[in-house]
Amino acid sequence: MEKAQERERKEEFDASEIEYVSYGGEHHLPLIMNLVDQELSEPYSIFTYRYFVYLWPQLSFLAFHKGKCVGTVVCKMGDHRNSTFRGYIAMLVVNKPYRGRGIATELVTRSIQVMMESGCEEVTLEAEVTNKGALALYGRLVFIREKRLFRYYLNGVDAFRLKLLFPQPELHPFLPMMADRDAAQKHDDHSPASEEFSELHRNL
Amino acid sequence: MDWKSTEQASMERHAPNHSTSTSSSIHATENTVWADASPLLETVCKELRDGELIHGENFNLYAAMSALEIMDPKMDSGIINKYASVDEAIEDGLAPVPISLDKTVDVQCIIDIIDQLLACEATWHKGHSLAQTVFSCAYLLRPERTLSHALLDSYCKVIRATCKAVNSIVSDARTHEEEDLFTMAYGLPLNVEGDEKCLSLLNAVEENISRQLRACKAPPSKRKLLEDIEPLQNNFDLEEGYCKALLCRIRFRKHFCHVLTCMRRPQGRGLELARKHIASCISELGIILKSEEFLMSNAYGTCEDGTEDRTTASGHQAIGFDASLNSRISAPTPPRSIKILSWKKAIEYFENLLHHLDIICSYLLDPSLDVLLRFVAQFQKAQPDLVARVHLQLLLVQDGKLYGRYPILAVIIRAARLPEVIMRHDIQKNEYVVQLGQIVINMLKILCTNAAWQRRKLGKILQDWRAIYVQLELAFRKEFGEGSSIANGENASAGILKHILIWVEEQTYWIAHRFLVLGFELELYSPSEYCMVYWYLYVVLIRLAEKTHLKMTVSDGSAKQKGKKRKDSPKDLAREARIPPAILFLQCQICLAEGLALLLAALRNELMVLQSPSPFNSEHERFIQHFELLQKACIPDLISYPSFKESTSHARFSSLVMYNYFKDAQKIAKEVKNSFLNDPDRLAELCILEQVAEHNSVAVNVISRVGALDPSLKVSFEFIHHPCFATVVVKRS
């Protein structure tokens, strides 16, 4: 499977041909699921997908090339330990022949932008330590590697917890607040603390 | 995917199971009845339209991710189950006893089973569940079935006993996240009656095979006398080879069992004997490896190719194993398929494990905390796995004492360089001193965990160390205030607390230092962050050196100088001949860290490299993120992002060349090496530091000469010599 994909030739296209759309409803769900199933190691149930796209449709984006879905990002946001309003990037996938052309960066930048405008203080995610592509991408967006999670994934590989801290008003007194925080609070989701979430990944 | 059809499929699959469980396993109680929910579910399903989701208040991410889709091969390992139960597998002939009526084949098969069990055991130690590894062997799951086969039975017994011993030591150590899968053993027969006799049974079997070996090697003239000894198997030409292959495997097991028992003796009393058994284990492993050729050339039937993945020496698939045998008792969710380590990798694993255990056993249980902390840090450099690390942890902390021998307060008093008579003083009843004992024990346990977990916990306990410092300081002020009113002017408590305070500060900086250094080993820093990391490391090292020096000075009784000492920078101190080697050792690292921080800063200031502009935040936020835990604990005081900017924004190559920090580091390393001739670890470290310093000193000169003129010059920072102090590599692209 892996090898077959490697042999697949790179798709020829112009960056302007890629169309980015926000999650638009149920018809997008199978497109997202197919992409993620193909490319990510973790198996997710349909409940996981629905959990994200129904609660935070504004944080999910899809990339299309000539009508074909070639990339997607799925995220959430909410209170973390009742103290920090945090965005979380759950899945980011670009079809192999379309990689290396900035599609993932564009997708994830759009989500982060919305998170920032919604009053998030920080954004986090986990990435396999062996996933050089993802690490380089988030490195360019200056996510820092906050911690390493020992054998985090089901396949036994360690993960990095990556984190991006948005400018804090107390550090930059002249910056206006990014957005009205109360508006964002509507999306509170009673989500478990991130550490619990990591346990979950490991045990599934 | 259509959610409704998935749901229906799962219901259909569950329906028959429900009816059986009603009758057999779970009975209705006074307040409950069993009812068929199928009609209700069917109605609900009809109500739901495609894509609709029932979303309850408590349906959070945890619930969403815990849901499994039945019949999805990625999630439902049950659909690939070959057998419904162990009994069904056995009825189907998975694990026959004897394995073959042909005695030669029987022996060959047993050797394969032994090899596969070794591979499974190593896989378990490496973090998979017992149920999917060692207990994928049907022979282990049904102890009564092997009774008639002395060899197989005694071997199964010793495996179960070993697993039980290892499982219990890991549970006792409570190393949190690593153990959760490791110790999960319910439903598995780990406590089988009779397993405690495994060693005597195995001894009897070993003796018998030794006799068989002697018999087959005896010259023909004597063979007659030995005829009453039944050979191991029927083929005389292969008798010697099979006897030997079995003997080394049995002996390895025996010694390994002894290693585990000896190492668990209280107060480290069994360590010396454990070393002998470790040596025997290693030598038997060597013989096991050598038996490969014989076993491969005589393997029965068709063999797998001699691939590197094979889990037995012969290359033949072992009989009696099925990875899915326990899938029904493995909570919380069905396990996914795993890959068992190869036989070669398993032997490698055990060689490493034994080597790491040997390092532990050869440690002299030094009562000095300094020596101990260096030992643990050195031990961790070898990246030992869980089983070795828990052995160390349980050796260090027993019954709340160091090695079960020294009360923790005595250890602290020694570390703070106070005379031991203090132990009789009331100070040990001080509640903060008692708390301090607890956080020292906590630190020791954390230092034995894996590097990733260790760093996270070290970052967190810095707060505890800071808090205890503040409390002790208050206590000190109180005592001192009271003491000064006493006519004779002497106050023992205040004096003791002062010593302890200095030591607590020193120890706090030691933890902070380790926290920063582990970040390199875990690859948490990116090149654009190196500048701030080395700068912070430099600041922390300076304080560590100051506190260590202060501790030494105060305890040496040179009290007159202490007020002044604090303000002296260690750099000036280094030039004085009386600086202790331990401080010079730190001094060398201070120069390296400072040199690297300023070189990185100069590269940014003059060549505009290693900058990382971001649309979302600035370097200030990155600084906060990396050092948040240190900053929260005021480590060090008055250090913040502006102080970092202030010390680095003016860095230039011209000044770096004028004052070459790397040259200083090199000089110190060279001079102080002689003081560490009896300390091979630190001597080796110094040699590496000297090498890095020399290399970087040259690099600084090259960059400053041609850097600005030659835009094709590429400077990179690589950890080719030292895990934390980068070697500066200059190349033309």
Side-chain angles (χ1 to χ4, degrees):
Chain A
M1 178 94 176
E2 284 284 311
K3 273 183 188 154
Q5 278 174 347
E6 272 167 30
R7 258 184 264 124
E8 217 169 319
R9 69 185 172 83
K10 280 271 169 198
E11 201 67 37
E12 299 286 339
F13 64 94
D14 190 86
S16 63
E17 292 166 31
I18 303 292
E19 192 195 350
Y20 297 92
V21 294
S22 184
Y23 178 77
E26 192 67 21
H27 61 290
H28 278 156
L29 194 58
L31 305 175
I32 295 177
M33 286 175 56
N34 281 340
L35 264 180
V36 176
D37 264 3
Q38 273 170 37
E39 309 282 355
L40 296 189
S41 71
E42 299 284 295
Y44 296 109
S45 76
I46 186 150
F47 301 104
T48 309
Y49 293 101
R50 285 219 165 90
Y51 173 81
F52 286 111
V53 297
Y54 273 53
L55 291 169
W56 301 278
Q58 77 279 26
L59 297 180
S60 291
F61 291 91
L62 295 89
F64 288 90
H65 180 237
K66 295 180 178 166
K68 181 184 157 202
C69 179
V70 296
T72 185
V73 62
V74 176
C75 307
K76 68 168 219 156
M77 57 189 177
D79 271 329
H80 174 67
R81 296 191 171 169
N82 294 325
S83 63
T84 314
F85 194 59
R86 175 190 264 193
Y88 177 77
I89 300 166
M91 308 164 197
L92 171 66
V93 179
V94 172
N95 209 347
K96 270 218 173 90
Y98 289 85
R99 288 186 192 169
R101 299 288 301 274
I103 297 176
T105 306
E106 179 61 29
L107 283 167
V108 83
T109 303
R110 284 179 185 233
S111 293
I112 296 171
Q113 196 67 43
V114 178
M115 289 174 187
M116 192 154 139
E117 286 160 10
S118 311
C120 283
E121 292 153 72
E122 60 187 27
V123 185
T124 68
L125 69 125
E126 292 90 30
E128 283 182 34
V129 296
T130 47
N131 190 346
K132 300 287 176 222
L135 293 175
L137 185 156
Y138 291 111
R140 284 193 299 276
L141 293 169
V142 300
F143 274 76
I144 73 142
R145 298 175 183 181
E146 189 197 26
K147 46 180 103 156
R148 192 174 175 124
L149 305 158
F150 184 74
R151 286 193 197 135
Y152 181 73
Y153 287 102
L154 299 170
N155 56 17
V157 175
D158 288 3
F160 286 122
R161 159 98 19 87
L162 304 179
K163 203 165 170 184
L164 175 76
L165 183 69
F166 290 131
Q168 296 162 317
E170 61 266 32
L171 294 176
H172 305 273
F174 304 114
L175 276 182
M177 281 290 275
M178 288 306 164
D180 183 12
R181 236 193 93 128
D182 292 338
Q185 294 287 13
K186 273 188 236 150
H187 303 294
D188 184 17
D189 63 301
H190 316 284
S191 68
S194 181
E195 259 69 19
E196 286 169 50
F197 183 44
S198 67
E199 290 302 311
L200 187 69
H201 266 267
R202 288 160 42 72
N203 290 335
L204 263 175
Chain B
M1 192 188 289
D2 181 0
W3 179 65
K4 253 194 326 193
S5 63
T6 318
E7 194 63 8
Q8 264 160 1
S10 79
M11 273 174 16
E12 276 154 25
R13 202 177 139 81
H14 267 175
N17 287 351
H18 265 254
S19 54
T20 47
S21 60
T22 318
S23 56
S24 64
S25 55
I26 307 170
H27 295 284
T29 63
E30 270 176 38
N31 306 318
T32 57
V33 282
W34 278 102
D36 187 358
S38 322
L40 176 68
L41 279 173
E42 248 164 72
T43 323
V44 174
C45 282
K46 277 180 196 145
E47 288 291 310
L48 277 171
R49 272 196 304 274
D50 219 15
E52 282 186 340
L53 176 76
I54 300 168
H55 178 67
E57 273 288 298
N58 56 353
F59 191 78
N60 54 22
L61 182 55
Y62 189 87
M65 290 201 60
S66 304
L68 290 168
E69 278 171 65
I70 309 293
M71 299 307 283
D72 178 339
K74 257 186 168 180
M75 288 182 240
D76 182 0
S77 66
I79 65 168
I80 48 162
N81 266 11
K82 201 170 166 196
Y83 305 111
S85 67
V86 179
D87 293 324
E88 194 187 299
I90 285 167
E91 269 168 42
D92 197 46
L94 177 74
V97 181
I99 305 156
S100 168
L101 292 172
D102 179 331
K103 282 181 86 181
T104 309
V105 175
D106 197 62
V107 166
Q108 288 171 329
C109 289
I110 284 186
I111 294 173
D112 288 339
I113 293 171
I114 290 175
D115 287 350
Q116 174 93 13
L117 280 172
L118 188 84
C120 286
E121 198 180 5
T123 312
W124 172 46
H125 286 196
K126 281 281 194 182
H128 288 287
S129 75
L130 202 49
Q132 274 189 293
T133 55
V134 181
F135 282 85
S136 66
C137 175
Y139 291 109
L140 291 177
L141 290 165
R142 290 287 179 270
E144 67 287 351
R145 289 188 67 250
T146 52
L147 288 172
S148 60
H149 197 306
L151 172 56
L152 184 60
D153 188 56
S154 57
Y155 200 83
C156 286
K157 278 189 162 69
V158 80
I159 289 283
R160 278 191 302 262
T162 312
C163 288
K164 188 180 158 190
V166 172
N167 197 54
S168 101
I169 193 165
V170 173
S171 315
D172 290 352
R174 284 196 289 267
T175 54
H176 185 71
E177 62 175 11
E178 277 180 86
E179 74 182 37
D180 54 2
L181 260 186
F182 193 98
T183 54
M184 206 186 287
Y186 59 79
L188 301 176
L190 268 185
N191 287 303
V192 176
E193 214 188 311
D195 280 0
E196 66 284 352
K197 288 182 289 189
C198 63
L199 276 180
S200 57
L201 291 172
L202 201 64
N203 272 331
V205 169
E206 182 199 348
E207 212 161 286
N208 200 30
I209 300 176
S210 307
R211 248 184 270 134
Q212 288 164 332
L213 177 64
R214 276 199 300 276
C216 77
K217 284 172 84 175
S221 56
K222 283 192 185 166
R223 211 170 278 161
K224 267 242 146 66
L225 288 169
L226 296 163
E227 244 169 20
D228 56 323
I229 294 173
E230 202 187 331
L232 179 69
Q233 43 81 56
N234 305 327
N235 189 337
F236 181 78
D237 293 338
L238 303 178
E239 180 79 353
E240 185 182 344
Y242 281 125
C243 283
K244 283 182 170 169
L246 272 176
L247 278 175
C248 57
R249 283 164 171 78
I250 290 171
R251 285 174 182 154
F252 167 76
R253 269 297 145 199
K254 243 176 60 183
H255 289 296
F256 190 61
C257 235
H258 284 304
V259 170
L260 296 174
T261 322
C262 290
M263 288 196 73
R264 283 226 75 173
R265 287 215 197 134
Q267 302 184 5
R269 285 199 211 110
L271 298 186
E272 210 174 309
L273 189 56
R275 285 197 83 181
K276 289 187 183 144
H277 288 296
I278 289 171
S280 305
C281 274
I282 292 174
S283 97
E284 297 299 339
L285 275 179
I287 305 174
I288 293 176
L289 262 181
K290 280 188 203 136
S291 69
E292 181 191 12
E293 198 183 332
F294 168 79
L295 292 171
M296 272 182 92
S297 57
N298 294 298
Y300 62 100
T302 48
C303 254
E304 292 170 42
D305 289 335
T307 56
E308 286 303 299
D309 282 351
R310 68 202 152 87
T311 48
T312 59
S314 69
H316 206 279
Q317 189 64 46
I319 287 174
F321 289 81
D322 186 300
S324 64
L325 275 182
N326 301 304
S327 60
R328 272 152 211 261
I329 56 165
S330 309
T333 51
R336 312 200 191 288
S337 67
I338 61 163
K339 198 171 180 309
I340 299 291
L341 285 182
S342 73
W343 178 72
K344 282 251 171 78
K345 287 259 180 265
I347 289 190
E348 221 170 86
Y349 167 78
F350 275 98
E351 279 171 345
N352 276 329
L353 171 65
L354 289 160
H355 175 65
H356 296 146
L357 292 178
D358 193 52
I359 297 176
I360 297 172
C361 292
S362 56
Y363 178 57
L364 294 173
L365 307 190
D366 199 301
S368 150
L369 196 63
D370 266 357
V371 176
L372 169 62
L373 293 180
R374 275 204 304 277
F375 168 74
V376 178
Q378 187 69 26
F379 175 73
Q380 287 276 24
K381 276 188 189 161
Q383 301 187 324
D385 282 305
L386 176 64
V387 176
R389 281 187 278 106
V390 297
H391 275 96
L392 177 62
Q393 189 201 309
L394 291 178
L395 172 68
L396 297 191
V397 183
Q398 291 175 24
D399 306 325
K401 293 178 179 175
L402 185 65
Y403 321 122
R405 294 180 184 183
Y406 309 106
I408 211 74
L409 285 178
V411 176
I412 293 173
I413 278 164
R414 202 189 158 95
R417 297 204 166 198
L418 283 160
E420 264 177 46
V421 289
I422 305 291
M423 278 306 282
R424 277 182 248 126
H425 193 275
D426 269 355
I427 196 79
Q428 54 176 316
K429 294 192 189 117
N430 179 312
E431 68 173 302
Y432 300 116
V433 174
V434 173
Q435 270 183 34
L436 180 63
Q438 272 310 313
I439 68 170
V440 169
I441 288 181
N442 195 18
M443 173 188 73
L444 288 178
K445 288 185 175 173
I446 290 169
L447 289 172
C448 297
T449 59
N450 71 65
W453 179 248
Q454 187 186 146
R455 185 174 192 271
R456 278 149 70 187
K457 292 304 271 184
L458 288 179
K460 284 183 185 158
I461 61 163
L462 279 170
Q463 315 294 328
D464 303 342
W465 282 81
R466 180 67 196 173
I468 203 81
Y469 177 82
V470 172
Q471 295 294 354
L472 285 168
E473 198 181 29
L474 281 174
F476 166 72
R477 283 183 200 288
K478 199 166 145 256
E479 291 283 348
F480 191 71
E482 282 166 13
S484 56
S485 64
I486 297 170
N488 63 12
E490 289 223 356
N491 184 329
S493 293
I496 296 165
L497 283 171
K498 190 176 164 52
H499 272 81
I500 293 181
L501 272 174
I502 296 170
W503 174 76
V504 168
E505 268 199 298
E506 183 203 8
Q507 197 52 47
T508 310
Y509 282 111
W510 186 89
I511 297 171
H513 171 246
R514 186 151 178 82
F515 173 83
L516 288 173
V517 166
L518 281 174
F520 283 103
E521 284 176 35
L522 296 169
E523 298 172 82
L524 295 180
Y525 310 129
S526 78
S528 64
E529 294 153 4
Y530 287 164
C531 183
M532 61 169 100
V533 175
Y534 282 119
W535 181 79
Y536 217 107
L537 183 63
Y538 153 74
V539 176
V540 164
L541 276 167
I542 289 250
R543 302 297 169 102
L544 177 59
E546 271 176 21
K547 301 301 165 196
T548 309
H549 199 211
L550 185 63
K551 178 186 75 179
M552 290 173 164
T553 319
V554 170
S555 67
D556 290 345
S558 49
K560 272 175 260 164
Q561 298 176 349
K562 69 190 167 195
K564 216 174 69 190
K565 269 280 144 22
R566 275 191 101 125
K567 293 192 182 74
D568 282 346
S569 99
K571 208 184 290 163
D572 304 324
L573 296 175
R575 303 220 166 79
E576 296 171 41
R578 57 193 166 78
I579 302 292
I583 306 295
L584 287 171
F585 184 78
L586 289 170
Q587 183 61 42
C588 173
Q589 298 179 53
I590 291 172
C591 292
L592 275 172
E594 190 176 14
L596 281 165
L598 291 176
L599 171 61
L600 283 151
L603 282 169
R604 295 166 68 161
N605 297 339
E606 293 198 59
L607 300 185
M608 308 299 159
V609 293
L610 291 168
Q611 290 168 329
S612 50
S614 151
F616 298 115
N617 68 12
S618 69
E619 194 185 38
H620 195 164
E621 280 76 31
R622 263 114 67 195
F623 186 92
I624 294 172
Q625 283 178 272
H626 267 306
F627 310 119
E628 194 183 10
L629 292 170
L630 301 178
Q631 296 263 296
K632 261 193 210 161
C634 305
I635 300 166
D637 262 341
L638 308 172
I639 286 295
S640 61
Y641 181 69
S643 26
F644 161 64
K645 277 320 262 184
E646 199 186 314
S647 8
T648 53
S649 58
H650 304 297
R652 293 286 180 275
F653 289 120
S654 50
S655 46
L656 266 177
V657 176
M658 289 269 284
Y659 189 85
N660 192 330
Y661 299 90
F662 298 119
K663 257 192 191 133
D664 273 12
Q666 193 187 344
K667 202 173 129 226
I668 297 172
K670 202 173 191 158
E671 282 169 11
V672 82
K673 270 196 294 190
N674 288 333
S675 314
F676 290 101
L677 296 176
N678 293 324
D679 187 343
D681 293 339
R682 277 200 280 186
L683 186 64
E685 172 92 6
L686 275 167
C687 290
I688 296 172
L689 292 177
E690 188 185 355
Q691 204 180 351
V692 175
E694 185 179 2
H695 199 107
N696 291 357
S697 167
V698 175
V700 165
N701 285 326
V702 174
I703 300 167
S704 67
R705 256 188 291 119
V706 293
L709 307 169
D710 187 351
S712 71
L713 204 68
K714 284 268 177 288
V715 183
S716 60
F717 292 78
E718 291 170 20
F719 300 93
I720 37 184
H721 298 117
H722 194 274
C724 144
F725 291 107
T727 303
V728 183
V729 178
V730 188
K731 275 185 193 145
R732 272 208 179 81
S733 56

